[in-house]
Amino acid sequence: PSPAAFGPWGRAKSEYMGGVGDGIGVKSPYKAECSDRVPVGPDGRFTLPLIGEVRAEGRTVADLTAELDSRFSQDLRSPRVQVAIRNYVSQRIFVGGEIARPSFVKYDSNITALQAIFSAGGFSQYAQPSSVILLRKVAGDERIAVRIDLSSGIMEGKEDLQLAADDVVFVLKSAIGKWDKVVEQYVQQAIPIQMAYRRDPFTTTIGSFR
């Protein structure tokens, strides 16, 4: 596919999946007894008045909202529950390659590729900002990859690429011609994450965002 074909995928926001330690905000505009802020405990659950324990780990905001609205409705009329994530603790991004401190970076809903890189100490003197690999989960541990060009964002202050939870951002030392071999021969050996790499012709060609 042409580089433009990666645009919708690259800018898509993946759904939040709850995790241990995350802060959950529950609110009802008409029912104060439905409103609270609670952390997700070590067992992946949180507790609310009236309904007790709720499993949050591995679930989306929409899923949690539907369950809470249903359970509160057993005792209250039209609770209209709203759920929001107040603190992302379980979600993270790995930043590696030619940067100062290859490491995991805490995820939040607005973090971009450049922000994640600078949170890990910034580019090394050998880094090529125009040659950055972004790996994103599509199913289980399987990921697809694109090449992103961050040089214009640094030099011209243009809009940066927004990240999703569990993304891998890997900065290369120099441009490499055979992009379809980069992930297998270089990136996978240098990151502390187990993953599968999809190799069908629609996802393994690495495009570029500018």
Side-chain angles (χ1 to χ4, degrees):
S2 66
F6 288 98
W9 170 83
R11 291 171 176 78
K13 295 281 289 181
S14 65
E15 285 193 280
Y16 162 83
M17 302 296 285
V20 174
D22 293 349
I24 307 291
V26 180
K27 181 180 179 181
S28 171
Y30 308 113
K31 307 288 184 180
E33 55 267 52
C34 297
S35 302
D36 208 345
R37 289 193 179 191
V38 290
V40 179
D43 61 352
R45 300 172 181 271
F46 61 87
T47 302
L48 290 173
L50 296 182
I51 63 173
E53 288 190 341
V54 180
R55 182 178 60 83
E57 189 170 18
R59 300 178 67 183
T60 66
V61 169
D63 189 21
L64 284 172
T65 301
E67 178 180 341
L68 294 182
D69 202 67
S70 174
R71 291 175 64 178
F72 276 120
S73 294
Q74 295 176 16
D75 297 300
L76 303 170
R77 180 178 297 178
S78 301
R80 298 184 183 179
V81 175
Q82 302 167 0
V83 176
I85 309 307
R86 300 301 182 189
N87 188 24
Y88 295 88
V89 173
S90 65
Q91 310 294 298
R92 58 185 186 171
I93 296 157
F94 181 76
V95 186
E98 292 299 325
I99 60 169
R101 298 187 304 273
S103 58
F104 286 98
V105 172
K106 182 181 176 181
Y107 170 76
D108 70 51
S109 59
N110 297 310
I111 193 168
T112 66
L114 277 177
Q115 289 171 350
I117 289 170
F118 290 131
S119 293
F123 295 101
S124 76
Q125 61 179 320
Y126 303 109
Q128 292 288 332
S130 61
S131 299
V132 179
I133 299 295
L134 173 63
L135 292 153
R136 179 164 293 173
K137 282 187 177 181
V138 290
D141 289 329
E142 187 179 54
R143 298 175 186 261
I144 55 177
V146 293
R147 172 179 172 248
I148 58 176
D149 181 353
L150 298 178
S151 58
S152 60
I154 296 171
M155 301 301 294
E156 304 170 23
K158 292 185 178 180
E159 183 180 359
D160 192 3
L161 184 67
Q162 200 165 41
L163 298 179
D166 294 319
D167 276 355
V168 173
V169 178
F170 197 90
V171 181
L172 298 176
K173 180 179 292 186
S174 60
I176 298 176
K178 295 183 178 180
W179 285 103
D180 60 327
K181 300 297 183 183
V182 171
V183 175
E184 295 165 344
Q185 296 181 358
Y186 187 42
V187 178
Q188 289 196 71
Q189 298 178 22
I191 63 176
I193 296 173
Q194 295 295 319
M195 69 175 191
Y197 177 50
R198 180 178 288 184
R199 290 192 53 80
D200 68 72
F202 297 103
T203 55
T204 56
T205 302
I206 298 177
S208 115
F209 295 114
R210 296 182 181 276

